[in-house]
Each structure stands twice: as structure tokens, then as C-alpha cells.
Amino acid sequence: MSEKPLGEWYGVDTDNSGSVFRLSLNGNNLSGPLPQQMGNLTELRILSLSNNKLRGQIPPELGSLVRLEYLALGGNEFSGIIPRELGQLTRLNKLDLGRNNLTGSIPASLGELVRMETLSLAGNNLTGIVPAELGNLLYLGTFFLSGNQLFGELPEEFTSLNQLFHFEFEQNLGLCAPLGADFQDWLTGVQNAQGPNCSPDQAISPPLQDIPSERDVLVAFYNSTGGRGWRNQENWLSNLPLNQWYGVRTDGRGHVRELQLASNKLDGRLPADLGHLPHLAHLQLRDNRLTGSIPAELGHASRLRTLNLSSNNLTSFVPPQLSNLQMLVSINFRGNQLTGPIPPELGSLSRLGELNLSDNSLSGPIPRELGNLPQLGYLYLEETNLAGTIPPELGNLAKLTQLSLSGNTLTGRIPAQLGNLSNLTILNLERNELTGPIPSSLGNLSQLQVLRLHDNQLNGPIPAELENLSELYHLFLYENQLRGNIPPELGNLASLLSLKVQNNQLSGPIPPELGNLPRLVLLDLA
């Protein structure tokens, strides 16, 4: 560190105004995490930090570097998922993330990088199918996917990549080139292409030795979950078509598409063979007596859209392999005995609309990567032993309507960024160990109907801005350390039914304006 101009520092170039536009420190023995403050270098065009010992997660804040044209982070020790925010770097023409320890799926948002010429994701632990959106990269010339755990057929959309001359996709978990004439003609035209063709009978799921038939999978499922004791087992194990077995629905070709066996007295473990149902879209097994772990092999069921295992007795971890399921719109594991952390890899599920992990025995913090879920409408993490702070990244969930984090041991302040959730109707943060003031930004939540902040250690005044919550029915602020007067502006909450602010350190008179609340049926100021 020196007092000299930044342009004289090794590896740093600045423009005429002194702003950093190039940072190049390849092979310079850098170590430790990459600071999120890198996202503040708004004039940066070249960031080249390859072949060092950088570790931790790639900061999503890099997505703020909208002038960036060259990003090289290959040959480090980065882990976690590829941030979907990198898809905001629309000027990028080279992206090298190869030779790290990255996990999860390839974000579809990378398909927004329409100026991309070189893309290297090789030598990681990436999983799932390759998103078809990468077929939008019409200027792509060099593309490396080898040495991961990707599977399935390459997207037919790749035939639009007419500039591609070097393409490597070998050494994966079954990633292969389709056998159709159009795709094969295109692949032949790629000057240097390295990777296998699909076999004639290869399915979307990864190749596994001795893959059982779908009938065999259901038989194994029946035996593993105490089929003889089910409430309804009509036609199971018979020779009738599978769609006549109780709770089984198939598509037009006879492939198992749905398994609907809620409240059916299933008792036992989920077999790993469930991952061998490549066309399965809906797995509904709530309210049974299932035990053991959730099979990681479910991550092979790449067409799965809804996964409901709630109200069972499942134990062990939430498998990070579920991040392979890029079609998922709903995960509900409420009311089990799951342990361990929430996998940050779930932040790559770009279609996920509901995540419910409430009433479990999880541990650790709420991953900030959950703020990367653009379609998430419902996030329930109640009574599940989580600790740490509430990630401000949750304020990025523009479609969120219900957020329930109650009954944990969350600490720190309520992030002001939650005031950005313009569609939120329910905010439950009660029974934690939150401190600091109530953010005035919560007054921006014009759709909010329920606000529960009670039983924390919040201090400071009640924000007068809460008067803007015209749809609010219930306001529960009791059992905190709030000070000052009760804002008379609360008398403007015409929809309010319940107001509870007892057991704080409030002072001053009771505002007569509270008498203006036409629908109020419960008022506790003790």
C-alpha cells in the first residue's frame, strides 16, 4: 500500500479521471476471499485474477460492473454457485471461471451475455443440465464445459452458435451430443469439438449402471415404503398399465409423470431409485411416516417441478444436488427432522416460486444466495433453528409475497432492503433475537397485511412511516424495547384489526387518533 496514484500500483491501470479500468494480478499469490466491495469499481473493464489462491464464493456484487468486458477468475479455489448476477454483464466478451470448485447448475442468466466470445466453465463440480439459453451467445467462439458433473443432451439451441470453433464437453456425468441430423451436422462444422455423442437409448438423466425400468422403480418404492400397509394400494404390483396404479399418473407415452400419495400411510425410506424416473414432474408424498434421508439421487430427476415431502419424519441434510432440478417451482419439506445448513446451491433454482423448510432442526445462517431466486413468491423458514443475520439480499426478491422467519435465533438488525419487497403481504420475524430499530423503509410495503415483529430486542421509536401501510390488518410489536411515543399517524391505518405494542418502553399519552381506526377489534397497550 502506498500514497502514490492508483495507476502506479502494480497491476492497476486508471483512466484520465483516476478511475480504475483494469486490474490484472494473474499468478500473484493472492489468497482469501474476493471482497464484495469489488462491485464498487464501476469503471472496471478488465478484471483478471487467474491462477491464484482465491477462495470462498464469487461475490454477486460483480454483477454491478456493467462496463466489464473481460472477467478471468480461473485457476483459483472458488466454491459455491455461479452468481446469476453475472448475467447483467452484457458487455462481457470473455468469462473464465474454469479450474475452481464451483457447484450447482449453470445459471440460465449467462444466456444474456450476447457479446460473449470465450466462455470457460471447465474443471469444476457443476451439475445439472446445460441451459438452452446459452444458445443465444451467437458470437461464441471458444466454449469449455469439460470436467464437471453435467448430464443430459446438449440443447438443440446450440445449432445457432455458428461462430463456435473450439468446443469441449467431455468428462462429465453423461453430457452428450444429440444424434439428430441437424445437431450432428452443426457439430461436424465445429473445427475442434471434443465430447461424446448420446447413445440411441440415452435419456435426459445421467447414465447409471443397470438403470431399472420405471415399473421396477415403482416396485422398489412400494417395497421400501411399506406398501402392504398403505391406506390405498389399488393395482400396485399388478400387470395393469402404470397409470392405473393408485396415485400414479403418466404422460401420453406411458412415462411416470406424477406420484401423488399424500396421507397414504407410507412408512419407510425413500429409495434412491426415484432418481431413475426421468419424466417425473410432481412428487407429492406429504403427511406420511417416511424416515431416513432425502436421496441425493433425486437430483437426477431433471424434469421435476414440485417436490412435497412435508409432515414426515425425514432426517439428515437437504441434498445440495436438488440444485440440479432447474424446472423446480416448489420445494416443501416442512415438518420433518432435517438437520444441517440450507444448501446455498438452492439459490440457482431460477424458476423456484416456493421454498418451505419450516419446522425442522436446521442450523447455520440463511444463505444470501436465496436472494438470487427471481420467481420466489413464498419463503418459509419458521421454527427451524437458524442463526446469524437476515441477509439483505432477500430484498432482491421482487416477487416475494410472504416471508416468514419466525421462531429462530436470528440476530442483528432488520435489513432496510426488506422495504424493497413491494409485493409483500406477510412479514413474520417474531420470536428471534433481532436488535436495532424498525426500519422506516418498511413503510414502503404498500401491500402488507400482516407485520409481526414481536418478541425480539428491537429498540428505538415506532416509525411514523408505518402509516403508509393502508392494507395492514395486524401490527404486532410487543415484547421489545421500543421507546418514545406511539405515533399518532397509526390512526390512519383504516384496515387495521389488531394493534399490540405492550411490554415495551413506550412513553407519552395514548394518541386520540387511535380512536379513528374503524375496524379495530384488538388493542393492547399495557
Side-chain angles (χ1 to χ4, degrees), residues 22-43:
R22 179 177 176 271
L23 180 59
S24 181
L25 293 169
N26 297 324
N28 205 44
N29 250 353
L30 305 181
S31 61
L34 194 61
Q36 63 185 37
Q37 290 82 357
M38 293 292 295
N40 297 332
L41 298 175
T42 54
E43 298 298 319

Side-chain angles (χ1 to χ4, degrees), residues 244-312:
Q244 295 186 34
W245 294 19
Y246 175 77
V248 179
R249 297 175 186 172
T250 60
D251 61 20
R253 295 181 295 171
H255 295 299
V256 176
R257 181 168 175 78
E258 298 184 22
L259 196 53
Q260 304 274 1
L261 292 169
S263 303
N264 202 44
K265 294 187 177 181
L266 277 63
D267 191 345
R269 292 175 172 266
L270 292 173
D273 284 349
L274 281 179
H276 301 165
L277 296 174
H279 300 270
L280 187 66
H282 304 284
L283 182 59
Q284 169 64 269
L285 304 177
R286 62 173 174 81
D287 294 304
N288 283 292
R289 296 193 292 266
L290 297 171
T291 57
S293 60
I294 299 171
E297 289 80 1
L298 276 180
H300 299 328
S302 58
R303 295 184 181 179
L304 201 61
R305 293 177 56 84
T306 62
L307 177 57
N308 191 338
L309 305 178
S310 61
S311 299
N312 281 283

Side-chain angles (χ1 to χ4, degrees), residues 441-448 451 465-473 475 492-496:
S441 62
L442 297 188
N444 299 331
L445 303 177
S446 59
Q447 304 299 315
L448 200 65
L451 178 57
E465 289 82 356
L466 297 185
E467 71 167 327
N468 298 324
L469 305 179
S470 59
E471 303 295 323
L472 196 66
Y473 297 150
L475 177 57
N492 297 326
L493 297 175
S495 299
L496 200 65

Side-chain angles (χ1 to χ4, degrees), residues 391-429:
E393 289 82 0
L394 296 186
N396 298 331
L397 300 173
K399 294 192 176 181
L400 199 66
T401 61
Q402 297 187 19
L403 175 59
S404 292
L405 308 178
S406 58
N408 289 289
T409 56
L410 298 171
T411 57
R413 295 174 175 247
I414 298 173
Q417 290 86 342
L418 297 188
N420 299 332
L421 302 175
S422 58
N423 290 304
L424 203 65
T425 61
I426 295 177
L427 178 58
N428 293 338
L429 304 180

